[in-house]
C-alpha cells in the first residue's frame, strides 16, 4: 500500500475547511475530517480505482476522489512511491486552480 501525502497547500485547504465547519458545528467538523482521513486511506490503498480528470492531460494523470457527504474532493496523482494529494478542493472553486502545484 502506498502512502497518501498532502502537499502543504492541500494541508492548508484541509485546515481552512475544517475551521469553517468547526465555526458552524464541531460535530460536522469532526465528521468532515474523519471522511477525509478515510478517503485518503482508500486512495492510498487503491488509487487507480478513482477516475482520471479529463483535463488536463498529464503524465502521471491527475485523479479525483469525492469526499462523501461534503462538497470536497481529493485531487491527487500517483507515483511509484506515494499518492500526492495536490488539493482538498471545494467543488465550487475554479476548476484546475491546483495545476500550478504540479511539479514537472
Amino acid at each position: 500500500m502506498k502512502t497518501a501525502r498532502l502537499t502543504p497547500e492541500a494541508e492548508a485547504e484541509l485546515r481552512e475547511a475544517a475551521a469553517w465547519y468547526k465555526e458552524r458545528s464541531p460535530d460536522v467538523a469532526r465528521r468532515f475530517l474523519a471522511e477525509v482521513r478515510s478517503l485518503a486511506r482508500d486512495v492510498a490503498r487503491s488509487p487507480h480505482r478513482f477516475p482520471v480528470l479529463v483535463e488536463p492531460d498529464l503524465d502521471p494523470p491527475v485523479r479525483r476522489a469525492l469526499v462523501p457527504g461534503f462538497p470536497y474532493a481529493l485531487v491527487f496523482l500517483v507515483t511509484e512511491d506515494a499518492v500526492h494529494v495536490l488539493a482538498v478542493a471545494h467543488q465550487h472553486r475554479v476548476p484546475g486552480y491546483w495545476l500550478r502545484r504540479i511539479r514537472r
Side-chain angles (χ1 to χ4, degrees):
M1 181 169 91
K2 296 181 185 291
T3 303
R5 299 179 185 156
L6 276 70
T7 62
E9 297 93 346
E11 283 277 356
E13 288 171 339
L14 179 59
R15 283 192 305 274
E16 181 182 319
W20 187 89
Y21 282 117
K22 187 175 181 181
E23 286 177 9
R24 283 136 188 90
S25 168
D27 289 339
V28 174
R30 281 190 290 276
R31 197 169 81 238
F32 171 71
L33 289 170
E35 289 291 351
V36 170
R37 281 190 218 106
S38 176
L39 183 59
R41 283 191 299 273
D42 289 347
V43 164
R45 225 181 338 265
S46 185
H48 292 87
R49 76 179 176 100
F50 295 94
V52 171
L53 291 175
V54 175
E55 199 173 338
D57 184 22
L58 297 170
D59 187 29
V62 175
R63 296 175 180 273
R64 179 182 71 176
L66 300 176
V67 178
F70 294 91
Y72 283 85
L74 300 184
V75 177
F76 65 94
L77 54 84
V78 182
T79 61
E80 284 185 30
D81 62 330
V83 172
H84 303 273
V85 178
L86 303 172
V88 178
H90 192 285
Q91 294 300 293
H92 296 107
R93 268 195 162 166
V94 176
Y97 74 90
W98 41 263
L99 278 169
R100 62 182 166 70
R101 300 177 185 176
I102 297 173
R103 315 263 189 274
R104 296 184 193 254

